[in-house]
């Protein structure tokens, strides 16, 4: 029985590895093929055309779009973290029935599709003169990405003994100092997990920048890939090279810190 479980476990792991590695192989292979020929995703290139990457950076204006993506990422991550940690802490100390009711509305954000309020958000940003701005896109991403961080923070705060806060109050801590000097440093595992999740969602977001950033100069990296699509053809080699450059930073980052992400998720969602 144990042997059968091991075989099935290894089989599932092998299948998962194939599902993950095959797209990466195709991505890397096509990005190094001769741009004068059609792409062949299952054939290794006869010679490596590293010039595809240089052309992708130049034609695709990747440096400009990289700056735009980083601006949106920093804004979204900062706003979402601040709002989520404060909301989680407030729900932890609120009246139970009120906190549960409010928390239920936040959890609906995990159920409803992200594009459900697109028309209303578009009209609201236009009225506030925030359409086609990075701060406007960051607000939309924050509104759509707060549910999971709030859930993680709330579950984590419920594991923190109230005696710690009571002792700090007795020692003369004000409410602000109590939160930032005593409580918030305890959230480092959950905060690091939330940072990665929020940053990944912002970095890979395609739909929201496409809708709320119509100007070509304001595009982020995912929407910037559309520059490789011509009216009658697509420059596949440069497109795949650009996709490699976009995916590489967070792919490598995730490989090295995945255990910390899982640790933070378990610490914020299982205890208590």
């Amino acid at each position: 029985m144990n042997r059968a479980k091991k075989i099935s476990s290894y089989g599932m792991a092998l299948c998962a590895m194939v599902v993950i590695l095959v797209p990466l192989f195709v991505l890397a292979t096509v990005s190094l093929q001769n741009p004068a020929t059609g792409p062949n995703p299952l054939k290794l290139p006869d010679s490596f055309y590293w010039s595809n990457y240089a052309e992708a950076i130049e034609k695709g204006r990747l440096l400009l779009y990289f700056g735009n993506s980083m601006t949106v990422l920093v804004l979204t991550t900062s706003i979402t973290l601040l709002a989520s940690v404060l909301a989680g802490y407030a729900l932890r100390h609120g009246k139970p029935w009120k906190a549960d009711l409010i928390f239920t509305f936040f959890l609906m954000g995990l159920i409803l599709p992200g594009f459900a309020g697109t028309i209303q958000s578009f009209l609201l940003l236009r009225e506030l003169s925030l359409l086609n701005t990075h701060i406007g896109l960051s607000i939309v991403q924050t509104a759509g990405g707060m549910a999971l961080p709030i859930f993680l923070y709330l579950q984590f705060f419920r594991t923190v003994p109230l005696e710690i806060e009571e002792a700090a109050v007795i020692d003369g801590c004000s409410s602000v100092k109590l939160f930032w000097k005593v409580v918030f440093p305890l959230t480092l595992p959950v905060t690091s997990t939330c940072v990665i999740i929020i940053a990944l969602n912002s970095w890979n977001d395609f739909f929201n920048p496409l809708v709320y950033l119509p100007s070509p100069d304001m595009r982020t990296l995912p929407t910037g890939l559309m520059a490789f699509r011509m009216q009658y053809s697509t420059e596949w080699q440069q497109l795949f090279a650009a996709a490699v450059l976009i995916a590489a930073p967070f792919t490598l980052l995730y490989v090295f810190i995945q255990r910390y992400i899982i640790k933070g998720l378990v610490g914020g969602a299982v205890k208590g």
Side-chain angles (χ1 to χ4, degrees):
M1 187 67 179
N2 292 332
R3 185 176 181 181
K5 287 183 178 180
K6 287 184 178 180
I7 293 175
S8 62
S9 299
Y10 285 126
M12 293 178 62
L14 180 62
C15 292
M17 184 177 66
V18 171
V19 170
I20 294 173
L21 293 182
V22 168
L24 294 178
F25 171 80
V26 172
L27 195 65
T29 299
V30 175
S31 70
L32 294 172
Q33 292 178 357
N34 188 348
T37 62
N40 189 343
L42 299 180
K43 178 185 177 182
L44 289 173
D46 298 328
S47 59
F48 298 131
Y49 286 82
W50 296 102
S51 59
N52 290 335
Y53 287 86
E55 293 181 9
I57 294 174
E58 181 180 355
K59 288 184 179 180
R61 307 175 68 187
L62 294 188
L63 294 180
L64 171 64
Y65 299 150
F66 178 82
N68 293 340
S69 290
M70 286 301 300
T71 300
V72 174
L73 184 149
V74 171
L75 288 173
T76 300
T77 304
S78 302
I79 298 172
T80 305
L81 275 181
L82 180 61
S84 299
V85 68
L86 292 177
Y89 186 72
L91 292 174
R92 168 66 177 90
H93 291 275
K95 293 184 178 180
W97 69 271
K98 289 183 179 180
D100 292 340
L101 179 62
I102 296 174
F103 185 53
T104 301
F105 284 103
F106 281 123
L107 287 181
M108 292 177 63
L110 296 174
I111 302 173
L112 297 176
F115 54 83
T118 300
I119 297 177
Q120 293 84 349
S121 299
F122 185 91
L123 296 176
L124 179 60
L125 291 183
R126 188 179 65 179
E127 291 296 323
L128 297 175
S129 299
L130 292 176
L131 188 63
N132 201 33
T133 64
H134 292 147
I135 185 63
L137 174 61
S138 299
I139 293 174
V140 172
Q141 290 183 345
T142 297
M146 285 179 58
L148 181 59
I150 290 176
F151 172 79
L152 295 177
Y153 274 120
L154 176 58
Q155 301 308 313
F156 181 83
F157 284 137
R158 285 175 173 171
T159 67
V160 178
L162 293 178
E163 288 77 8
I164 296 178
E165 300 182 35
E166 294 172 354
V169 171
I170 293 175
D171 289 339
C173 275
S174 62
S175 299
V176 176
K177 188 176 181 180
L178 168 65
F179 178 78
W180 291 112
K181 296 293 186 179
V182 178
V183 177
F184 184 74
L186 300 175
T187 68
L188 182 59
V190 177
T191 299
S192 59
T193 300
C194 291
V195 167
I196 298 301
I197 294 175
I198 297 167
L200 276 173
N201 291 335
S202 176
W203 186 264
N204 294 324
D205 190 8
F206 175 82
F207 178 77
N208 288 321
L210 181 65
V211 174
Y212 302 109
L213 297 178
S215 173
D217 292 335
M218 301 296 291
R219 288 174 178 170
T220 58
L221 284 171
T223 55
L225 292 177
M226 294 188 299
F228 296 96
R229 297 188 60 187
M230 307 302 178
Q231 184 176 2
Y232 299 107
S233 64
T234 300
E235 299 179 3
W236 290 108
Q237 284 78 5
Q238 286 81 18
L239 175 61
F240 276 60
V244 170
L245 293 174
I246 294 173
F250 273 93
T251 301
L252 295 176
L253 181 63
Y254 183 80
V255 169
F256 289 107
I257 65 174
Q258 58 176 326
R259 60 176 179 174
Y260 300 106
I261 297 176
I262 297 173
K263 182 180 178 180
L265 287 172
V266 172
V270 175
K271 292 182 180 179

